[in-house]
Structures are given as structure tokens and as C-alpha cells.
Amino acid sequence: MRYVSTRGGMSPAGFSDVLLAGLADDGGLYVPETYPRLDAATLRAWRGVLAERGYAGLAYEVLRVFMDDIPVDDLERCCRAAYNADTFGSALVAPVSRVGTSDLWLAHLSNGPTAAFKDMAMQLLGQLFEVELERRDTWMTVLAATSGDTGSAAEHAMLGRERVKVAMLTPRGRMTPFQQAQMYTIDDPAILNVTIDGVFDDCQDLVKATFGDAAFKARHRLGAVNSINAARVLAQVVYAIAAWLQVTSRGDERVSFAVPTGNFGDILAVHVARQMGLPVDTLILATNENNILAEFFATGVYRPRSAADTHATSSPAMDISKASNLERFVFDLVGRDPRRTSDLFGRQVAGRGFFDLSADPGFRAQRERFGVVAGTSTHADRVATIRSLWREHGVLIDPHTADGVGVARRLMASGEVTGPVIAYETALPVKFAETIVEAIGEAPEVPARFAGLADAPWHVVDLPNDVDVLKSHLEAWLERPEG
Ligand SMILES: *Cc1c(COP(=O)(O)O)cnc(C)c1O
């Protein structure tokens, strides 16, 4: 499988190069040159694979076509090391459960080390990095910014890998107590947690400025793990298929998916699975008050917001000012035309600040064909959804999951969506206790594996919002002899 940039400025690359590259040098995102085709017989066979070899076996079968320059033995080992009962609580890794006797199902993607779905892709990424860096006999420094879930998933996935160091910037005091504890209690010389006096966008800008220093980037082999990494999207395709297999019994049943969305990563993977031939009916996209994507799918206008116009909400992992992965979807929407994609994102968004496809005859047709229906969920909506699922079914969900479930239930009630709907559970309630207390009047249960986390000592450095201070601190940390 070869990978091309959505902006057409790169010669096609193999998977292992894309794994380590992150963003393409022409500013675009890497996508598979073609989507491998799935048929009913393959799906039938995979049902058996999931039953007999668990999620790890399915991951290997799905991914070996995409990751065909990783030796098969290595890939199989990576899948087994990433996806097992020790790390995810069961061999199914992402089990699906039915909400009462309704048509609504929850895919539990949050049973990993940091209690959010980010673990699903990140655990595999950690294994793949190790294999590939070893093969190339090199090392890398992951530098990234996080508003909460990505950072902790990355640190827990890279922990103990000899060839990877991680420096993670976080906005001081703006993550939940649980999220802070998950990162800052890590005590490892290869992991550096930094809090920045600022908001998430300030952290992101510092990361960009540091990557922008080409000499610094080369000297320290800076690499990225953010959601634009193609390997993360591919790893996420696996659980769309795994969830579908658990809800159906034949090869052709159509199922809808409801996905709470920020950077358009998780939902993009369902789109890819559909393009491969997975029988997906409606793709329900839920946003919070930062509803750039709901606006795009309703009107054809994509307009990223400024940091000042980005609301801090009670589903903070979806508080985005732009949707980084949308470019991959729009590339498909415009018939995989790199010139067009480059014009829309490279020229129009970068220049005017938006693009408008409302007059494009292809936009409506493709939106229909791709089956996306988008909706917005507010704080009041998510609190009401958490409360109602708890009272009616004894099922407790986190605020992000509630955004997806709320929008799905609205569409199911109006009859716009019929048949089974798989809603993604993207985090466990324990990560967002304050909103849970507001919704049900009591704190969420703390899973046993997180007991004691709140009392452990922190290892974190406070720095000002200043790129030179950051760079000299990184330099000193990276050049410190290992203890
Ligand atoms: C990251 C995240 C999301 C949004 O996922 P995208 O792939 O950015 O769309 C939703 N819920 C939770 C809990 C998250 O951590």
C-alpha cells in the first residue's frame, strides 16, 4: 500500500515512512492511495477471527494490507502486544453492549490504560514506533500539546520504549484533576510533562514554533503523535469493524454509527471502513458547542474559529478551533482531487479563513452518498443524556459519549435514523467527575486500577508561554545523561 498527500505535492510513500513523518511536507495529510475492498465473505471470515483470535487477531488481518512494509511477524507481534486482556481488560478489547432492549449499542473503547479511546490507536503506535526505530537504528523525541486525553494516552503508550522520549505541553490548570494526575504522576526520565501558562492553543503554537526551527527539529529528531498521523486513523478502522461484527450476525446488515467529534479522527475511520465496504448506514456526527463540523455538513461552509471564539465546554476533548482530519474526508468528497483539496485548505482556508462548497453540485450528492448527518449537543443536552441513561438503564456515560448518544437518540426518535446504532464510548466517566456529579448527584466510581492516583506525587515543570525558554529547557532535558 502506498500513501499520497491530500495536496498532491509528494511522491507516494510506504507505510513506515508515513508512520514516522506525521504531516506531509507539502502541508497535506497522507492517505492510502486506494481503499482495499472488503466483501461479505471477508467479513464472515473476520467474525471467526474476532471470536477465535480476539481483537489482536482482527487488527492484524485488517491492518496487514495497509501496513505491508512492516514484516508480518513484527506486525502480528505488535498487535498482540498492543491489544490484550492485560491492557484492555478483555481479549475483545472493545466490547459492545446493548442499552436495554433499544436499538442503541455502546462500543466500549475506553478500557485502556488512560480510560479514553485514544489508547486504542496509541498503544499500537507505541509498538510500531519501537519496531521501526529499531529497524532504522535511530530514535525520536515526541513533542506534542494536549488538552487532556491524547497526551496521557501517548505517554502511557511510549513509557519504557528505549528509542522514544516524550515531551508534552499542557495548559496549566485547564485539565480535569484526573487527567492531570494521569500525566503528572508519571516518574520516568524519558517523559517530560510541561505546563504552560496559557490555553491549549498557546501550547499548540509553541509546538509549531519548535517544529518550525528546522535545525532543532533535526538535531533532536522531533516527531508527532497527533491525530493527523495516518497510522492512528488506520488503527481506528479496526474497531469500527469489530463493533459492526459484534452487533450483526450476517454479512450485509447495515448499522449506523454515532461518534462525538473534535478533530474528525475517530469518525474519519468509520468513513474509511465504509469506503472499504463495511455496511454502514448513517454516520452520525456529534459536536459540542464548538460546532464547526455541524455547520460544515449543514451548509458546505467550513470556517475554523479563532482561539477566542472557541468555547471551553464540559466535553473539553471536542473543544477544537479547527478539525485537522477533515481534509482527508474532503479529499474523498471532491473525488480525491489533490489540486482541489490544496486550493480549499492550502489557499482558501489559509487565506480567506474559510471555504464554501454550498454551490458545488458534488457536495450534496457526496454528502448523501457518504451518509453523514451532523448534530450539535450543548451542556444541557449532555447533562440530560447522562441523567436519562443512568436513571432508565443504570448505564453511566461520560460527557463526550453523551454528546454522541444525545444526537443519536434525537435522530432515532424523529425516525431519521432507523435500525441499530453503535455509539462510541470515547472516555470513562471517572475522567470528568464534575459533570457527572452535576448530572446524577454523585461522583463516578473510580475503577480499581486508578486507586491511589489522586495521592501520588507530581513530576511536572511550569514554564512561561515563551518558545526560547521552552527550547532551552528541552535541550537541557534531552542532553542530560540518563540516570
Ligand atoms: C479526542 C476525543 C474525542 C474527539 O475525537 P476526534 O478523533 O478528535 O474527533 C472525543 N471524546 C474524547 C473523550 C476524546 O478524548
Side-chain angles (χ1 to χ4, degrees), residues 146-220:
T146 184
S147 59
D149 294 333
T150 299
S152 56
E155 291 184 351
H156 285 264
M158 304 301 162
L159 200 60
R161 309 215 172 280
E162 259 172 43
R163 294 168 182 273
V164 188
K165 290 186 173 187
V166 182
M168 193 63 67
L169 310 191
T170 53
R172 186 173 313 150
R174 286 173 190 267
M175 305 191 307
T176 70
F178 187 89
Q179 287 177 313
Q180 296 183 55
Q182 263 187 329
M183 296 181 65
Y184 305 158
T185 55
I186 295 177
D187 181 12
D188 188 289
I191 306 271
L192 175 68
N193 280 306
V194 178
T195 68
I196 295 296
D197 184 14
V199 296
F200 170 69
D201 283 283
D202 296 320
C203 298
Q204 191 82 305
D205 288 345
L206 285 174
V207 169
K208 277 192 202 143
T210 310
F211 270 85
D213 179 341
F216 190 94
K217 181 180 172 199
R219 189 158 66 246
H220 299 297

Side-chain angles (χ1 to χ4, degrees), residues 116-118 149 260-266 317-318 398 400 426-427:
F117 82 89
K118 304 285 197 303
D149 294 333
T261 307
N263 272 321
F264 206 84
D266 218 3
M318 294 151 68
D398 102 290
H400 306 78
T426 56

Side-chain angles (χ1 to χ4, degrees), residues 14 38 58 101 124 143 147 149 158 164 201 205 227 260 281 290 308 314 331 338 365 370 372 419 454 458 477:
L38 263 178
L58 181 70
T101 53
L124 185 70
L143 173 66
S147 59
D149 294 333
M158 304 301 162
V164 188
D201 283 283
D205 288 345
S227 69
D281 190 14
N290 297 294
S314 49
F331 180 66
F370 292 159
V372 180
W458 281 12
W477 170 64

Side-chain angles (χ1 to χ4, degrees), residues 110 115-118 147-150 179 227 232 236 239 259-268 286 293 315-320 322-325 398-401 403 424-428 431-432:
S110 312
F117 82 89
K118 304 285 197 303
S147 59
D149 294 333
T150 299
Q179 287 177 313
S227 69
R232 280 181 64 184
Q236 290 172 281
Y239 55 78
V259 187
T261 307
N263 272 321
F264 206 84
D266 218 3
I267 193 161
L268 177 76
L293 287 169
S315 45
M318 294 151 68
D319 292 349
I320 45 103
K322 64 178 194 320
S324 326
N325 266 303
D398 102 290
H400 306 78
T401 308
D403 285 331
Y424 277 178
E425 182 187 55
T426 56
L428 293 187
K431 293 194 101 163
F432 305 97

